[in-house]
Amino acid sequence: MNLSLKNNSKILFWILLISFQIIYSQNNTSRENISLNKNWKFHLGSANNPSKDFDYGIVRNFTIAGGGGGAVVPKFDDSAWRTVNVPHDWAVELPFEYHKHFDVQSHGYRPVGGFYPDNSIGWYRKHFTADKAKEGQRFVLRFEGVYRDFKIWVNNNYIGSNFSGYAESSFDITDFIEFSGDNVIVVRVDATQYEGWFYEGAGIYRNVFMETFNPVHIPEYGVYVSSKIEKSKALVEAETTVKNQEGKTVNCSVVSYVIDSKGNKVTKTVTEKLTVKNNEIGKIAQKLSINKPELWDLDTPNLYRLVSIVKKNGITTDSTQTEFGVRTFDYNATTGFSLNGKSMKVKGMCVHQDHAGVGTAVPDALVYYRIKLLKEMGVNAYRCSHNPPSKSVLEACDRLGMMVLDEIRVIGTGKEYFDQFEKLILRDRNHASIMMWSLGNEETGVQNTDLGRRMAHTLVQRQKELDPSRLSTYGGNNGINFKGINEEMDVRGFNYHIKELDDYHKEHPTQPIIFSEVSSMVSSRGMYVKDSLKGYLPDYDLNKPRWGQNAEEWWKFTVERPWLMGGFVWTGFDYRGEPTPFTWPNVNSHFGIMDVCGFPKNTYYYYQSWWTDKDVIKIYPHWNGHKKGDKVNVWCNSNAEEVELLLNGKSLGKKAMPRNGHLEWDVVYEPGKLEAIGLKNGKTIRTAVETTDKAYQIVLTPDRKTIKADGNDVSVINVTVLDSKGREVPDAMNLIQFKLAGEARILGVGNGDPSSHEDDKCLDGKWKRSLFNGKCQIILQSLEKEGEFSLTASSEDLKNTTTIIAVKK
């Protein structure tokens, strides 16, 4: 053989080999996160009748591999099942039903739970195909939240289960993937048992993803990034875990650097070598430095990304980006709380996760909408009450500048609850917004016991191992009591018991204190007379349960005590269930500063007056429905120095606004115009309420005029009515009907009425909702096609209106 030909053949061989490795690498290194939210098949089962539960319980679903029966079998005919997208909450689709049991009441009278076996089991089936080019990669299914206690099969093989409705879960299904045909995921959800004492929904109510990645990869929660500020630098420490599932020991390297929000590299690149045996993990810690870092703050929530790359033989096998922020929280028993050295009060709200129209199945875009409403009020902190939040809540708080108290569902150190706690810390610890961890809420059975102390000690120790950068607290409704859980807390969380707080501080002067829950003031938006039969309360800062405080009472108390960090009001929004102080026909709470749609109640403007620098002036009640000569108690919330009230142009007097207070006048009613004029820093601010005529035309107000054509984005459209003179009618109760055309689907409707039994979900073509005190809401979701949609709102004797929303990629 010619020598040159022989050499050329060797060169060609190596070129082909390297090319093959590069191609193989490209096909096997690209990490993908694919949404599986669309096109699930759904059907109710039964908790006590196998014949209604696709023979579950009498067929062998757990006996041999691949030997299941009923709805688990891939060839099962699910064509008659309903097609749904997730997030999906089947409970919100059910009619209200009265039951005297307290837990049914506290869950909003939706017929789900142990009393309702035929409504409390849900089956989901998802068909998908797998790309042959991905063979050799790992396939992991990730469920961000399923309520609750679900089991999963893939291609007739039982994969596993997850107990809690609030804990994220993942399942490696690599061995069960078929590349030559249809694959079927089957999920059986069991919602017969409650976890909380509030509306919890039912179903796959958070996002679902299929993750694919190389056998040599960064596993879930495999990156932990922390930072601290020293002079003009941020010292960043990155701990990276590598998992090897390749079948042999591998030598690899981990490459790390940091980029800013614009993609600019802001640190040097650091590389560390690592040897990892098969089916084992390896960890490395790397240090980086950011010069003159842009801090994460409430007004400027600057974020960085840690880029983590795993390489083997110089070829990338995996790459992730982890978002984080550079900031400093400080908790001081004498001076209170500070962020980045700036002293401030925690102006927080406790928040449950459900919303009008959709229940617990809140799309990501609607989460952002809700956080923005809280920011607009002046809220700077969000307590996840009382369970781990969705990922989208934390991402929204990171990006919008909202601190978070991240809370576990139940305190415990048995395997189930301890695993849930670990998962909470591992999943969430990189988020810039998280200010503290909460170990639970009002655990009355153990909070004053040595068992409670021992469990709290174990959890705090584990928290500091997994995340030494933060402190822990606990929402204790045990007042001055120190023994038990409170002994172990870095920060003492007080739920109410405001009269015992000063004494507690004197006895424990080195323990920082925060109101982990406070106020519980109750009101119904737009109502001004108590109606115990229908279940309404006046929309003033007046009514509270025996344990609660008015807004003004707790906030004045807080600002007068520098050592008190602030607090979390119960609650930011109304939520389904807990209709304190009423029962049926009430189906949702009155605690919210906003109603379940996010429409402000009047106390919203009290907080906005004293929690923001905005020009705020608000008077109420509205000026309809009173009788001439009646005495009307008029309230004004404002941050003006003084306010003058005028009725039909006649002054009723000026009053100085007390700091952190409000003003009142008793006004003899005359129809017309009631006006408030305030003076703030030399500037005039004003507002008015007027006696209106009857409703004449409908107004649709979308939160945005353009949404994304991704099948996930949401348009929130609020509905009001005007009289013939263009004035909003605040007491209108008209039934509004909706007609949709174009690239969207309707997700749900609501109006904030705590006693409304109207449907949140309607049949296609029959969407409708009554106004409640002048307002209702409709929530729509984009399709995956560009274009637009039009929504027409109509009502008997009213002028119709149409809004058009663009849908773009």
Side-chain angles (χ1 to χ4, degrees), residues 197-198 348-354 370 374 377 379 381 383-386 496 516-523 549 554 568-578 588-596 601 603-604 607 611:
W197 54 92
F198 39 83
M349 293 283 158
C350 300
V351 182
H352 279 313
Q353 60 183 358
D354 63 304
R370 286 162 60 87
L374 292 171
M377 196 201 324
V379 176
R383 181 186 177 201
C384 307
S385 304
H386 299 291
Y496 313 105
S516 41
E517 190 171 311
V518 71
S519 185
S520 279
M521 185 274 299
V522 285
S523 62
Q549 302 82 38
W554 88 266
F568 293 88
V569 172
W570 190 261
T571 54
F573 300 87
D574 281 342
Y575 53 94
R576 293 168 175 81
E578 287 200 299
N588 71 243
S589 79
H590 299 263
F591 294 116
I593 308 305
M594 291 176 278
D595 69 19
V596 73
K601 301 180 190 178
T603 304
Y604 176 102
Y607 287 115
W611 286 7

Short mmCIF file of all heavy atoms in Angstrom, two decimals, residues 197-198 348-354 370 374 377 379 381 383-386 496 516-523 549 554 568-578 588-596 601 603-604 607 611:
data_model
loop_
_atom_site.label_atom_id
_atom_site.label_comp_id
_atom_site.label_asym_id
_atom_site.label_seq_id
_atom_site.Cartn_x
_atom_site.Cartn_y
_atom_site.Cartn_z
N TRP A 197 -56.68 23.55 55.45
CA TRP A 197 -58.01 23.94 55.93
C TRP A 197 -58.53 25.10 55.09
O TRP A 197 -59.24 25.98 55.57
CB TRP A 197 -57.96 24.31 57.41
CG TRP A 197 -56.93 25.36 57.72
CD1 TRP A 197 -57.12 26.71 57.77
CD2 TRP A 197 -55.55 25.15 57.99
NE1 TRP A 197 -55.95 27.36 58.04
CE2 TRP A 197 -54.96 26.42 58.20
CE3 TRP A 197 -54.74 24.02 58.07
CZ2 TRP A 197 -53.61 26.58 58.48
CZ3 TRP A 197 -53.40 24.18 58.37
CH2 TRP A 197 -52.85 25.44 58.57
N PHE A 198 -58.19 25.10 53.81
CA PHE A 198 -58.53 26.15 52.86
C PHE A 198 -58.71 25.48 51.51
O PHE A 198 -58.39 24.30 51.34
CB PHE A 198 -57.40 27.20 52.80
CG PHE A 198 -56.02 26.59 52.86
CD1 PHE A 198 -55.41 26.09 51.73
CD2 PHE A 198 -55.35 26.47 54.08
CE1 PHE A 198 -54.15 25.50 51.79
CE2 PHE A 198 -54.09 25.88 54.15
CZ PHE A 198 -53.48 25.40 53.00
N GLY A 348 -45.78 43.03 54.35
CA GLY A 348 -46.07 41.77 53.71
C GLY A 348 -47.54 41.40 53.66
O GLY A 348 -48.37 41.94 54.39
N MET A 349 -47.82 40.44 52.80
CA MET A 349 -49.14 39.84 52.68
C MET A 349 -49.00 38.32 52.66
O MET A 349 -48.13 37.78 51.98
CB MET A 349 -49.85 40.30 51.39
CG MET A 349 -50.23 41.76 51.36
SD MET A 349 -51.70 42.11 52.36
CE MET A 349 -51.46 43.87 52.67
N CYS A 350 -49.86 37.64 53.41
CA CYS A 350 -50.02 36.21 53.26
C CYS A 350 -50.90 35.96 52.04
O CYS A 350 -51.89 36.67 51.83
CB CYS A 350 -50.68 35.61 54.49
SG CYS A 350 -49.79 35.87 56.04
N VAL A 351 -50.56 34.93 51.26
CA VAL A 351 -51.30 34.69 50.02
C VAL A 351 -51.53 33.20 49.82
O VAL A 351 -50.59 32.41 49.84
CB VAL A 351 -50.54 35.25 48.79
CG1 VAL A 351 -51.35 35.03 47.51
CG2 VAL A 351 -50.25 36.74 48.96
N HIS A 352 -52.80 32.82 49.65
CA HIS A 352 -53.13 31.50 49.14
C HIS A 352 -53.05 31.56 47.61
O HIS A 352 -53.04 32.63 47.01
CB HIS A 352 -54.52 31.08 49.58
CG HIS A 352 -54.57 30.53 50.98
ND1 HIS A 352 -53.68 29.61 51.44
CD2 HIS A 352 -55.42 30.79 52.02
CE1 HIS A 352 -53.97 29.29 52.70
NE2 HIS A 352 -55.00 30.01 53.08
N GLN A 353 -53.05 30.39 46.97
CA GLN A 353 -52.67 30.35 45.57
C GLN A 353 -53.82 30.35 44.57
O GLN A 353 -53.58 30.38 43.36
CB GLN A 353 -51.80 29.13 45.31
CG GLN A 353 -52.46 27.80 45.62
CD GLN A 353 -51.52 26.62 45.42
OE1 GLN A 353 -50.36 26.78 45.01
NE2 GLN A 353 -52.00 25.43 45.68
N ASP A 354 -55.08 30.36 45.00
CA ASP A 354 -56.17 30.28 44.02
C ASP A 354 -56.60 31.67 43.55
O ASP A 354 -56.37 32.68 44.21
CB ASP A 354 -57.36 29.52 44.59
CG ASP A 354 -57.98 30.19 45.81
OD1 ASP A 354 -57.25 30.44 46.78
OD2 ASP A 354 -59.19 30.49 45.78
N ARG A 370 -50.82 38.93 39.54
CA ARG A 370 -51.13 39.05 40.96
C ARG A 370 -50.00 39.72 41.74
O ARG A 370 -50.25 40.58 42.61
CB ARG A 370 -51.44 37.65 41.53
CG ARG A 370 -52.78 37.11 41.09
CD ARG A 370 -52.89 35.60 41.27
NE ARG A 370 -52.71 35.15 42.63
CZ ARG A 370 -53.67 35.05 43.55
NH1 ARG A 370 -54.91 35.42 43.25
NH2 ARG A 370 -53.42 34.59 44.76
N LEU A 374 -49.97 43.36 43.99
CA LEU A 374 -49.43 43.55 45.34
C LEU A 374 -48.38 44.66 45.36
O LEU A 374 -48.37 45.50 46.27
CB LEU A 374 -48.82 42.23 45.83
CG LEU A 374 -49.80 41.09 46.10
CD1 LEU A 374 -49.04 39.79 46.35
CD2 LEU A 374 -50.71 41.40 47.27
N MET A 377 -49.81 48.08 45.45
CA MET A 377 -50.32 48.47 46.77
C MET A 377 -49.21 48.95 47.69
O MET A 377 -49.49 49.63 48.68
CB MET A 377 -51.04 47.27 47.41
CG MET A 377 -51.93 47.63 48.58
SD MET A 377 -52.35 46.28 49.74
CE MET A 377 -52.51 44.88 48.72
N VAL A 379 -46.83 46.53 48.76
CA VAL A 379 -46.36 45.31 49.42
C VAL A 379 -44.93 45.04 49.00
O VAL A 379 -44.58 45.15 47.82
CB VAL A 379 -47.28 44.13 49.07
CG1 VAL A 379 -46.75 42.82 49.66
CG2 VAL A 379 -48.71 44.40 49.54
N ALA A 381 -43.30 42.10 50.52
CA ALA A 381 -42.98 40.73 50.92
C ALA A 381 -44.22 39.85 50.80
O ALA A 381 -45.34 40.29 51.10
CB ALA A 381 -42.41 40.68 52.33
N ARG A 383 -45.81 36.06 51.77
CA ARG A 383 -45.71 34.82 52.55
C ARG A 383 -46.49 33.73 51.83
O ARG A 383 -47.68 33.89 51.55
CB ARG A 383 -46.25 35.01 53.96
CG ARG A 383 -46.15 33.73 54.79
CD ARG A 383 -46.81 33.87 56.15
NE ARG A 383 -46.75 32.62 56.90
CZ ARG A 383 -47.57 32.32 57.91
NH1 ARG A 383 -48.48 33.20 58.31
NH2 ARG A 383 -47.47 31.17 58.53
N CYS A 384 -45.85 32.61 51.55
CA CYS A 384 -46.47 31.49 50.84
C CYS A 384 -47.31 30.70 51.83
O CYS A 384 -46.80 29.83 52.53
CB CYS A 384 -45.40 30.59 50.22
SG CYS A 384 -44.22 31.49 49.20
N SER A 385 -48.57 31.03 51.91
CA SER A 385 -49.45 30.48 52.95
C SER A 385 -50.31 29.35 52.39
O SER A 385 -51.08 29.57 51.48
CB SER A 385 -50.35 31.58 53.49
OG SER A 385 -49.59 32.66 53.96
N HIS A 386 -50.25 28.22 53.02
CA HIS A 386 -49.26 27.69 53.96
C HIS A 386 -48.63 26.48 53.31
O HIS A 386 -48.82 25.34 53.78
CB HIS A 386 -49.91 27.30 55.29
CG HIS A 386 -50.58 28.42 56.00
ND1 HIS A 386 -49.85 29.47 56.57
CD2 HIS A 386 -51.89 28.71 56.26
CE1 HIS A 386 -50.68 30.32 57.15
NE2 HIS A 386 -51.92 29.88 56.97
N TYR A 496 -50.61 37.09 65.33
CA TYR A 496 -51.53 37.85 66.17
C TYR A 496 -50.95 38.03 67.60
O TYR A 496 -49.78 38.34 67.72
CB TYR A 496 -52.91 37.18 66.16
CG TYR A 496 -53.36 36.85 64.77
CD1 TYR A 496 -53.33 35.52 64.29
CD2 TYR A 496 -53.75 37.84 63.88
CE1 TYR A 496 -53.70 35.22 62.99
CE2 TYR A 496 -54.14 37.56 62.58
CZ TYR A 496 -54.10 36.24 62.13
OH TYR A 496 -54.45 35.94 60.84
N SER A 516 -45.58 37.14 61.71
CA SER A 516 -45.70 36.18 60.62
C SER A 516 -47.12 36.14 60.07
O SER A 516 -47.34 35.70 58.93
CB SER A 516 -45.26 34.78 61.08
OG SER A 516 -45.74 34.50 62.38
N GLU A 517 -48.07 36.60 60.88
CA GLU A 517 -49.45 36.74 60.42
C GLU A 517 -50.14 37.75 61.32
O GLU A 517 -49.98 37.71 62.54
CB GLU A 517 -50.16 35.38 60.48
CG GLU A 517 -51.52 35.35 59.79
CD GLU A 517 -52.05 33.93 59.71
OE1 GLU A 517 -51.28 33.04 59.27
OE2 GLU A 517 -53.20 33.68 60.12
N VAL A 518 -50.91 38.66 60.71
CA VAL A 518 -51.48 39.75 61.50
C VAL A 518 -52.74 40.28 60.82
O VAL A 518 -52.96 40.07 59.62
CB VAL A 518 -50.43 40.88 61.70
CG1 VAL A 518 -50.17 41.64 60.42
CG2 VAL A 518 -50.80 41.81 62.85
N SER A 519 -53.55 40.94 61.57
CA SER A 519 -54.75 41.68 61.17
C SER A 519 -55.97 40.76 61.04
O SER A 519 -56.76 40.66 61.95
CB SER A 519 -54.54 42.48 59.88
OG SER A 519 -55.71 43.25 59.62
N SER A 520 -56.18 40.09 59.92
CA SER A 520 -57.40 39.30 59.67
C SER A 520 -58.65 40.17 59.65
O SER A 520 -59.75 39.71 59.95
CB SER A 520 -57.57 38.18 60.69
OG SER A 520 -56.78 37.06 60.36
N MET A 521 -58.49 41.44 59.29
CA MET A 521 -59.65 42.31 59.09
C MET A 521 -60.52 41.72 57.96
O MET A 521 -60.00 41.17 56.99
CB MET A 521 -59.16 43.71 58.72
CG MET A 521 -60.26 44.75 58.60
SD MET A 521 -61.04 44.81 56.97
CE MET A 521 -59.68 45.22 55.91
N VAL A 522 -61.84 41.80 58.12
CA VAL A 522 -62.75 41.21 57.14
C VAL A 522 -63.68 42.28 56.56
O VAL A 522 -64.19 43.14 57.27
CB VAL A 522 -63.58 40.07 57.76
CG1 VAL A 522 -62.74 38.82 57.93
CG2 VAL A 522 -64.17 40.45 59.12
N SER A 523 -63.88 42.18 55.23
CA SER A 523 -64.77 43.12 54.54
C SER A 523 -65.18 42.53 53.20
O SER A 523 -64.54 41.61 52.69
CB SER A 523 -64.08 44.48 54.33
OG SER A 523 -62.93 44.33 53.51
N GLN A 549 -56.74 42.17 64.28
CA GLN A 549 -56.54 43.61 64.47
C GLN A 549 -56.96 44.32 63.18
O GLN A 549 -56.83 43.78 62.09
CB GLN A 549 -55.06 43.94 64.74
CG GLN A 549 -54.46 43.25 65.96
CD GLN A 549 -54.01 41.85 65.66
OE1 GLN A 549 -53.49 41.56 64.59
NE2 GLN A 549 -54.22 40.93 66.61
N TRP A 554 -52.72 47.51 63.77
CA TRP A 554 -51.46 46.77 63.78
C TRP A 554 -50.33 47.57 63.14
O TRP A 554 -49.18 47.49 63.58
CB TRP A 554 -51.62 45.41 63.07
CG TRP A 554 -51.39 45.42 61.58
CD1 TRP A 554 -52.31 45.56 60.61
CD2 TRP A 554 -50.13 45.26 60.91
NE1 TRP A 554 -51.73 45.52 59.36
CE2 TRP A 554 -50.38 45.33 59.52
CE3 TRP A 554 -48.81 45.09 61.34
CZ2 TRP A 554 -49.38 45.22 58.56
CZ3 TRP A 554 -47.81 44.97 60.37
CH2 TRP A 554 -48.09 45.04 59.01
N PHE A 568 -46.88 40.28 58.05
CA PHE A 568 -47.60 39.75 56.89
C PHE A 568 -49.09 39.76 57.21
O PHE A 568 -49.56 39.04 58.10
CB PHE A 568 -47.14 38.33 56.58
CG PHE A 568 -45.72 38.25 56.09
CD1 PHE A 568 -44.66 38.12 56.99
CD2 PHE A 568 -45.43 38.31 54.73
CE1 PHE A 568 -43.35 38.04 56.54
CE2 PHE A 568 -44.12 38.24 54.28
CZ PHE A 568 -43.08 38.10 55.18
N VAL A 569 -49.84 40.57 56.48
CA VAL A 569 -51.28 40.71 56.68
C VAL A 569 -51.98 39.46 56.17
O VAL A 569 -51.65 38.93 55.10
CB VAL A 569 -51.80 41.95 55.93
CG1 VAL A 569 -53.32 42.01 55.96
CG2 VAL A 569 -51.19 43.22 56.51
N TRP A 570 -52.97 39.02 56.90
CA TRP A 570 -53.85 37.96 56.43
C TRP A 570 -55.08 38.62 55.82
O TRP A 570 -55.91 39.16 56.53
CB TRP A 570 -54.26 37.04 57.61
CG TRP A 570 -54.96 35.83 57.12
CD1 TRP A 570 -56.31 35.59 57.06
CD2 TRP A 570 -54.33 34.67 56.59
NE1 TRP A 570 -56.58 34.36 56.53
CE2 TRP A 570 -55.37 33.77 56.23
CE3 TRP A 570 -53.01 34.30 56.36
CZ2 TRP A 570 -55.10 32.53 55.65
CZ3 TRP A 570 -52.76 33.07 55.80
CH2 TRP A 570 -53.79 32.19 55.46
N THR A 571 -55.24 38.61 54.48
CA THR A 571 -54.46 38.08 53.37
C THR A 571 -54.46 39.10 52.25
O THR A 571 -55.28 40.03 52.25
CB THR A 571 -55.06 36.77 52.81
OG1 THR A 571 -56.45 37.02 52.48
CG2 THR A 571 -55.01 35.64 53.78
N GLY A 572 -53.56 38.92 51.29
CA GLY A 572 -53.51 39.84 50.16
C GLY A 572 -54.76 39.79 49.29
O GLY A 572 -55.27 40.82 48.84
N PHE A 573 -55.24 38.58 49.05
CA PHE A 573 -56.42 38.36 48.22
C PHE A 573 -57.43 37.51 49.00
O PHE A 573 -57.04 36.65 49.81
CB PHE A 573 -56.07 37.58 46.94
CG PHE A 573 -55.07 38.24 46.05
CD1 PHE A 573 -53.70 38.06 46.25
CD2 PHE A 573 -55.47 39.02 44.98
CE1 PHE A 573 -52.77 38.65 45.42
CE2 PHE A 573 -54.54 39.62 44.13
CZ PHE A 573 -53.18 39.44 44.36
N ASP A 574 -58.71 37.71 48.74
CA ASP A 574 -59.69 36.72 49.18
C ASP A 574 -59.34 35.38 48.54
O ASP A 574 -58.69 35.32 47.49
CB ASP A 574 -61.10 37.12 48.75
CG ASP A 574 -61.72 38.18 49.64
OD1 ASP A 574 -61.24 38.38 50.77
OD2 ASP A 574 -62.70 38.81 49.20
N TYR A 575 -59.80 34.32 49.13
CA TYR A 575 -59.56 32.98 48.60
C TYR A 575 -60.80 32.13 48.88
O TYR A 575 -61.62 32.43 49.75
CB TYR A 575 -58.31 32.35 49.25
CG TYR A 575 -58.33 32.36 50.76
CD1 TYR A 575 -58.79 31.26 51.49
CD2 TYR A 575 -57.90 33.47 51.47
CE1 TYR A 575 -58.82 31.28 52.88
CE2 TYR A 575 -57.92 33.49 52.86
CZ TYR A 575 -58.39 32.39 53.56
OH TYR A 575 -58.42 32.41 54.93
N ARG A 576 -60.95 31.05 48.15
CA ARG A 576 -62.08 30.16 48.36
C ARG A 576 -61.96 29.47 49.72
O ARG A 576 -60.88 29.10 50.14
CB ARG A 576 -62.14 29.11 47.25
CG ARG A 576 -62.47 29.69 45.88
CD ARG A 576 -62.23 28.68 44.79
NE ARG A 576 -62.65 29.18 43.47
CZ ARG A 576 -61.92 30.00 42.72
NH1 ARG A 576 -60.72 30.41 43.15
NH2 ARG A 576 -62.36 30.40 41.54
N GLY A 577 -63.09 29.30 50.38
CA GLY A 577 -63.10 28.66 51.68
C GLY A 577 -62.94 29.66 52.81
O GLY A 577 -62.84 30.87 52.60
N GLU A 578 -62.97 29.15 54.05
CA GLU A 578 -62.84 29.96 55.26
C GLU A 578 -63.67 31.25 55.20
O GLU A 578 -63.13 32.36 55.24
CB GLU A 578 -61.37 30.31 55.53
CG GLU A 578 -60.55 29.13 56.02
CD GLU A 578 -59.28 29.55 56.73
OE1 GLU A 578 -58.44 30.21 56.07
OE2 GLU A 578 -59.11 29.24 57.91
N ASN A 588 -66.37 31.89 49.95
CA ASN A 588 -64.96 32.28 50.05
C ASN A 588 -64.76 33.30 51.16
O ASN A 588 -65.70 33.80 51.76
CB ASN A 588 -64.37 32.75 48.72
CG ASN A 588 -64.84 34.08 48.21
OD1 ASN A 588 -65.44 34.15 47.15
ND2 ASN A 588 -64.55 35.18 48.89
N SER A 589 -63.51 33.60 51.42
CA SER A 589 -63.14 34.41 52.58
C SER A 589 -63.44 35.88 52.36
O SER A 589 -63.69 36.34 51.24
CB SER A 589 -61.65 34.24 52.88
OG SER A 589 -60.88 35.02 51.99
N HIS A 590 -63.37 36.63 53.46
CA HIS A 590 -63.51 38.09 53.45
C HIS A 590 -62.21 38.77 53.88
O HIS A 590 -62.17 39.98 54.03
CB HIS A 590 -64.62 38.53 54.40
CG HIS A 590 -65.97 38.01 54.07
ND1 HIS A 590 -66.90 38.73 53.36
CD2 HIS A 590 -66.56 36.82 54.35
CE1 HIS A 590 -68.01 38.02 53.21
NE2 HIS A 590 -67.82 36.85 53.81
N PHE A 591 -61.15 37.99 54.11
CA PHE A 591 -59.92 38.51 54.69
C PHE A 591 -59.11 39.38 53.71
O PHE A 591 -58.28 40.18 54.13
CB PHE A 591 -59.02 37.37 55.16
CG PHE A 591 -59.56 36.57 56.30
CD1 PHE A 591 -59.85 35.23 56.15
CD2 PHE A 591 -59.75 37.16 57.55
CE1 PHE A 591 -60.34 34.47 57.20
CE2 PHE A 591 -60.24 36.41 58.61
CZ PHE A 591 -60.53 35.06 58.44
N GLY A 592 -59.31 39.21 52.43
CA GLY A 592 -58.43 39.82 51.44
C GLY A 592 -58.47 41.34 51.45
O GLY A 592 -59.52 41.96 51.65
N ILE A 593 -57.31 41.94 51.18
CA ILE A 593 -57.25 43.38 50.92
C ILE A 593 -57.72 43.64 49.49
O ILE A 593 -58.18 44.72 49.16
CB ILE A 593 -55.82 43.91 51.14
CG1 ILE A 593 -55.31 43.48 52.53
CG2 ILE A 593 -55.79 45.43 51.03
CD1 ILE A 593 -56.20 43.87 53.68
N MET A 594 -57.63 42.60 48.66
CA MET A 594 -58.28 42.57 47.35
C MET A 594 -59.21 41.36 47.33
O MET A 594 -59.02 40.41 48.09
CB MET A 594 -57.23 42.47 46.24
CG MET A 594 -56.38 43.70 46.06
SD MET A 594 -55.07 43.52 44.81
CE MET A 594 -53.81 42.68 45.77
N ASP A 595 -60.19 41.38 46.45
CA ASP A 595 -61.07 40.22 46.35
C ASP A 595 -60.40 39.13 45.53
O ASP A 595 -59.23 39.24 45.13
CB ASP A 595 -62.45 40.62 45.82
CG ASP A 595 -62.46 41.05 44.36
OD1 ASP A 595 -61.51 40.73 43.61
OD2 ASP A 595 -63.43 41.72 43.95
N VAL A 596 -61.10 38.06 45.26
CA VAL A 596 -60.50 36.89 44.62
C VAL A 596 -60.12 37.18 43.16
O VAL A 596 -59.34 36.44 42.56
CB VAL A 596 -61.45 35.67 44.75
CG1 VAL A 596 -62.65 35.81 43.83
CG2 VAL A 596 -60.72 34.36 44.53
N LYS A 601 -60.32 46.29 47.61
CA LYS A 601 -61.28 46.78 48.58
C LYS A 601 -60.75 48.12 49.10
O LYS A 601 -59.64 48.54 48.76
CB LYS A 601 -61.45 45.77 49.71
CG LYS A 601 -61.91 44.39 49.26
CD LYS A 601 -62.06 43.45 50.45
CE LYS A 601 -62.28 42.03 50.04
NZ LYS A 601 -62.39 41.11 51.20
N THR A 603 -59.63 49.13 52.00
CA THR A 603 -58.45 49.14 52.86
C THR A 603 -57.16 49.05 52.05
O THR A 603 -56.09 49.41 52.55
CB THR A 603 -58.54 48.01 53.89
OG1 THR A 603 -59.76 48.16 54.63
CG2 THR A 603 -57.39 48.03 54.88
N TYR A 604 -57.26 48.60 50.82
CA TYR A 604 -56.12 48.64 49.90
C TYR A 604 -55.50 50.04 49.89
O TYR A 604 -54.27 50.20 49.88
CB TYR A 604 -56.62 48.25 48.52
CG TYR A 604 -55.63 48.31 47.37
CD1 TYR A 604 -55.05 47.14 46.89
CD2 TYR A 604 -55.32 49.50 46.73
CE1 TYR A 604 -54.17 47.17 45.81
CE2 TYR A 604 -54.44 49.54 45.67
CZ TYR A 604 -53.87 48.38 45.21
OH TYR A 604 -53.00 48.42 44.15
N TYR A 607 -53.31 50.97 52.96
CA TYR A 607 -51.92 50.50 52.84
C TYR A 607 -51.15 51.25 51.76
O TYR A 607 -49.99 51.63 51.95
CB TYR A 607 -51.92 49.00 52.54
CG TYR A 607 -52.31 48.15 53.72
CD1 TYR A 607 -53.48 47.40 53.72
CD2 TYR A 607 -51.52 48.11 54.86
CE1 TYR A 607 -53.84 46.62 54.80
CE2 TYR A 607 -51.88 47.34 55.96
CZ TYR A 607 -53.03 46.59 55.93
OH TYR A 607 -53.39 45.83 57.01
N TRP A 611 -47.68 52.90 52.54
CA TRP A 611 -46.63 51.98 52.10
C TRP A 611 -45.98 52.41 50.79
O TRP A 611 -45.06 51.74 50.31
CB TRP A 611 -47.20 50.57 51.94
CG TRP A 611 -47.47 49.87 53.24
CD1 TRP A 611 -47.38 50.40 54.50
CD2 TRP A 611 -47.86 48.50 53.42
NE1 TRP A 611 -47.69 49.45 55.44
CE2 TRP A 611 -47.99 48.28 54.81
CE3 TRP A 611 -48.10 47.45 52.55
CZ2 TRP A 611 -48.36 47.03 55.33
CZ3 TRP A 611 -48.47 46.21 53.06
CH2 TRP A 611 -48.59 46.01 54.45
#
